Every structure is written in C-alpha cells, then in structure tokens.
Amino acid sequence: MVRAAKVSDKLKQIRIFPQRLLLPETAEKLLNEIDSVKGVVRMLISGKNLPRTITCGPGTGKDVNHPDRIIIHVSGCAFELHVIVGEVLVEVDNESAVEELKKACERALPFSFELKRGYFIKTKATLTDYGKYGFKSKFDETINLEDERMLGMVDPHAKLETNLCMVRAGENV
Amino acid sequence: MAYKPQYYPGNTSVAKNRRKHMSDDVEKMRDISDEDLTALLGHRAPGSDYPSTHPPLAEMGEPDCPVREVVEPTPGAAAGDRIRYAQFSDSMYNGPSVPYWRSYHCAINFRGVDPGTLSGRQVNEMRERDLEEYTKRQAETEMTDWGLAGLRGCTVHGHSLRLQEDGTMFDMLDRRRLEGGVMVMDKDQVGVPIDRKVNLGKPMSESEAAKRTTIYRVDNVSFRSDKEVVEHVQKVWELRTKYGFVPKA
C-alpha cells in the first residue's frame, strides 16, 4: 500500500535545550527560524504546562490568565501556546540541516543553548498507537494513519486537533 | 563567658549566609504592609478580626500544670487563633533561602511552629497572628528574593526549573511577575485574585543572588570547597551511623 507520508530511519533528531525558559516572542522567533531551515520534517515543543484554570487547592476552577499563554504564528499557522517552551525537538532529513539548525538557534536565542543528537520522537507505531488509531482494515494491519509523521507528536490521551499544527502538509518527505 | 550559639560551620559565603539565616541576623530589604501581607496569605480579609478556634486562654480557666506556668503562650495561642499556613518555594538557581534554612530560621527564632521541609518548598503552620509575623520577617528580609522565590500555597512548581528569560522563577499560576523592573503580586498564595497589586520590590541581580544564597552550587560556591562543612557533615554521618549500630564501646 502507498502511504501519504512516512518517517524513515535515516532522519536525524536534534534536541534544542535553551538555558532559559522562553518567552512567547522568543519561542515564536525560534520556531520560525527553525522552520526556515531546509530539511526540517517535524518539530515538537515541550515545557511546563500553562493551565487555563487552577486545577487544585482552594482556588480550583478560577481563571489563571497566564500572560505567556498566547497565540503565536509559525510559518503563517497560528496556534495557542499551552506550555512555556523549555525545549524543542526537531527532526531533519539531512546532515547539512543540522548545522543550519545551529545557526538558526544562534540567530533566535539571546543566550546559550544545548544541541544534542539522539532519538527523541518515536518513528514507529507502538502498542499505544495501535490502541489509539487501530489497524487500516481487517486485511491491512498497518496503523490507521494517513501521515505517520504524526506518531509521537502528541501524548496518547491528548487530542490531535488542539496539539498539532500542520505546516505545508502537502510537502511529504 | 556568655554562651554564644554556633549555628553552622564553614568559612564560605554560603556557610556565613546559613549562619545569618539561623540566627535571624538578616538584612531588611523591603517593606510590605500588614494589610498587603494578609491579602497575599489569603486566610482572612485584610482589616478583619482574627477568627478564633477557642476562647482566649485567660478566659478558659486552664488546669493546674507546671509546664503551662513556665511556658508563656504566643500571642496567637493566647488569643485562640486558628492554625494557618504559609508556604514558600525557592529556586535552586541561587535562591537566597533553601527549604531547610527557612525551617531552621523559623524553628530557632519563633515559637509554636510546625515547619515542614520538602525538596523544593517549605510550609509552616502556626497560629494566625504568629504566622503573619513570621511571614513578614521572611518576606521583607534578604531571606526572600521575590524573583527567585514565591509564596505558593499550591502548585509550587518552579524550584528545580530553569529560570525564565527575565531571570525570574517560573510560576504556573502567574501569582507574581516582573513588571517595570519590580516584582508584583496580584493573587494570593493559592492563585485567587486579590483586590490589589502588591509591590514586592526589585529582584536581586544574578551576582547579588549568588552572594546571598544559602545553596551550594558547583557554578557558585561548591559544597566541597568548604572543608570545615564537609568535615562536620562527615562527622555527623559517622556518629549517627555508629549510633544506629549501638556500639558497646
């Protein structure tokens, strides 16, 4: 069968770990700089949660109104930050993109950062993914996902729609 | 010769700061009014009477007890105040006070205290008016840098996180933030909005925080650089281990 897009083992994953937790403006700048690097397949931001309401204690249910929980624009796509950005995981498809990525970070970040290679985002479906998405059909036991790049991008229990942003989705790797 | 307590060994700045915190020889750095502090604690409305949990001790007719005769009750206990709490969270990035030193400061210098020491926060329970006195002392002095610490009754997360870009400790509930170069707080310690914006003063600069901190860090003053402290800690560990085995000799 033919899939719209898939991830391959040849992709390289990089973890960008800034010295400070990023303000939304810096995060927006960094993500746009990363997005401008040729060869970036997907990126994943993580950090500490910015809850909409207080979830425990006597103030439960009251609005937090955290000033960092705002809408940012990355490559023309707008989405609301749910976290204070602490690290960015990036997957690229060629070696030269890694150096470009480093330069992009130097342009965007006013402080030092770590750039680490490794395996941070999963590339193959696990049991949890099969539990969430299921099989293609009775006769095709591959995972029921049009675009396998979505694997590992959100928590198994989280909703894709509110946590995933597709930028230039037509450009497959 | 009069007895002089020896609080903590060591010759480094961290050891000296630890001694200062324990002996309450701390520098006052800002003013926070009583009303503002009451609002931040969130236990009662500013200006209202202290709710009580029992009548004043003088009216209760206490039983004959030699201990009660010797120990004078704290103002809060004498008035029958409720037990209330204050909880501080301090950054490990050179926060001026670390949880154990808040507890030591409290237990040594105040009475009727129940300090709880955790890895990244310190909670203290006291009678309400005693608690306000204690919190004011810690909040106004060099024990607290409001950029690197926070009054957090719940959702205390921040102690072990990297600092934010503006150099302050992350606060998930946005209780206090840097505005115009000063820290302001417009929510009480559990994140409920209050009717005022309390000015908590300027946060310390990085170099000042490094000078006033009570935490040993490899990138500032490392624990192993203070030989006397290492020797003391090793001695304590040796003695408590031997005591655990109850040696005959």
Side-chain angles (χ1 to χ4, degrees):
Chain A
M1 65 165 284
V2 178
R3 292 181 205 125
K6 59 188 267 185
V7 286
S8 90
D9 293 339
K10 289 176 186 170
L11 298 173
K12 290 161 180 54
Q13 292 183 1
I14 313 289
R15 187 176 79 152
I16 300 160
F17 195 81
Q19 191 191 20
R20 294 278 172 98
L21 301 176
L22 305 185
L23 286 172
E25 301 77 41
T26 316
E28 187 176 32
K29 192 177 172 195
L30 176 67
L31 295 175
N32 277 309
E33 287 284 0
I34 294 171
D35 187 56
S36 67
V37 174
K38 204 164 182 299
V40 171
V41 180
R42 51 183 182 164
M43 51 187 169
L44 196 153
I45 58 174
S46 63
K48 295 299 159 187
N49 188 26
L50 300 173
R52 196 183 291 278
T53 54
I54 301 175
T55 53
C56 66
T60 301
K62 293 246 180 344
D63 288 338
V64 174
N65 295 323
H66 202 291
D68 287 358
R69 193 184 165 110
I70 57 168
I71 291 172
I72 63 168
H73 298 82
V74 179
S75 198
C77 185
F79 64 93
E80 189 182 30
L81 273 180
H82 295 180
V83 295
I84 182 162
V85 179
E87 66 173 13
V88 184
L89 308 176
V90 187
E91 195 170 62
V92 293
D93 63 359
N94 63 73
E95 188 60 37
S96 63
V98 179
E99 195 53 38
E100 286 301 311
L101 206 58
K102 190 177 173 190
K103 286 178 187 161
C105 294
E106 282 165 359
R107 284 195 298 272
L109 297 175
F111 35 77
S112 62
F113 58 89
E114 273 179 26
L115 213 68
K116 201 171 184 180
R117 283 162 186 264
Y119 178 65
F120 306 109
I121 316 171
K122 63 182 163 185
T123 51
K124 288 175 187 164
T126 60
L127 191 64
T128 316
D129 296 310
Y130 279 105
K132 182 169 183 178
Y133 302 110
F135 296 137
K136 279 269 184 212
S137 69
K138 268 187 177 177
F139 311 104
D140 183 358
E141 292 191 350
T142 53
I143 191 151
N144 187 24
L145 261 179
E146 278 305 305
D147 191 339
E148 284 189 15
R149 288 177 297 184
M150 284 198 278
L151 280 176
M153 296 300 281
V154 291
D155 286 338
H157 297 292
K159 285 180 183 166
L160 271 181
E161 304 80 53
T162 50
N163 289 285
L164 194 72
C165 183
M166 302 283 274
V167 180
R168 297 192 296 271
E171 295 175 18
N172 297 324
V173 179
Chain B
M1 198 172 87
Y3 170 71
K4 198 177 173 199
Q6 298 174 47
Y7 289 111
Y8 197 77
N11 296 309
T12 55
S13 63
V14 173
K16 285 173 188 164
N17 290 335
R18 288 183 171 201
R19 278 198 288 274
K20 280 169 78 178
H21 286 207
M22 291 169 94
S23 61
D24 196 30
D25 176 25
V26 282
E27 187 185 333
K28 186 173 173 181
M29 300 193 75
R30 60 192 77 86
D31 281 307
I32 300 173
S33 71
D34 291 346
E35 290 222 335
D36 285 350
L37 191 79
T38 306
L40 296 183
L41 286 169
H43 296 310
R44 68 186 172 96
S48 64
D49 289 341
Y50 289 97
S52 62
T53 192
H54 61 75
L57 289 181
E59 296 173 15
M60 280 180 68
E62 290 189 273
D64 276 345
C65 170
V67 176
R68 288 176 196 241
E69 283 169 19
V70 172
V71 180
E72 189 191 336
T74 62
D81 287 354
R82 303 175 299 177
I83 302 282
R84 284 295 174 263
Y85 75 96
Q87 182 165 255
F88 280 96
S89 188
D90 294 274
S91 174
M92 55 177 265
Y93 284 92
N94 289 336
S97 202
V98 287
Y100 260 108
W101 264 263
R102 284 197 189 275
S103 285
Y104 284 142
H105 171 261
C106 175
I108 293 169
N109 300 294
F110 293 84
R111 295 190 302 134
V113 299
D114 182 7
T117 319
L118 297 102
S119 57
R121 59 194 165 106
Q122 193 265 353
V123 62
N124 194 22
E125 292 182 12
M126 296 166 89
R127 299 283 188 155
E128 198 162 352
R129 69 190 74 195
D130 305 338
L131 179 85
E132 287 179 6
E133 186 195 342
Y134 144 83
T135 313
K136 197 171 163 69
R137 183 76 184 145
Q138 293 209 344
E140 285 187 335
T141 60
E142 61 174 314
M143 291 191 70
T144 303
D145 167 17
W146 286 96
L148 298 174
L151 192 56
R152 299 180 181 183
C154 64
T155 321
V156 296
H157 208 42
H159 155 79
S160 60
L161 298 183
R162 281 162 288 164
L163 299 177
Q164 293 179 168
E165 264 189 80
D166 56 10
T168 60
M169 183 173 71
F170 173 66
D171 184 356
M172 197 177 271
L173 300 187
D174 189 42
R175 280 161 283 215
R176 95 275 179 272
R177 74 192 79 82
L178 191 64
E179 267 185 22
V182 294
M183 298 302 298
V184 294
M185 191 162 172
D186 57 5
K187 293 178 183 175
D188 70 9
Q189 61 172 338
V190 291
V192 176
I194 53 177
D195 59 353
R196 62 192 76 201
K197 225 175 203 181
V198 180
N199 183 343
L200 300 169
K202 278 170 72 173
M204 289 181 193
S205 65
E206 269 184 55
S207 56
E208 195 182 356
K211 207 172 73 183
R212 290 184 189 270
T213 188
T214 52
I215 193 166
Y216 285 107
R217 283 181 63 90
V218 172
D219 60 2
N220 184 27
V221 177
S222 73
F223 174 69
R224 301 214 173 273
S225 68
D226 204 327
K227 286 198 171 52
E228 200 182 11
V229 172
V230 174
E231 197 182 307
H232 167 77
V233 170
Q234 285 175 344
K235 186 181 175 191
V236 170
W237 274 92
E238 188 188 339
L239 292 177
R240 68 189 289 191
T241 307
K242 280 182 180 168
Y243 175 74
F245 287 113
V246 195
K248 297 277 185 217

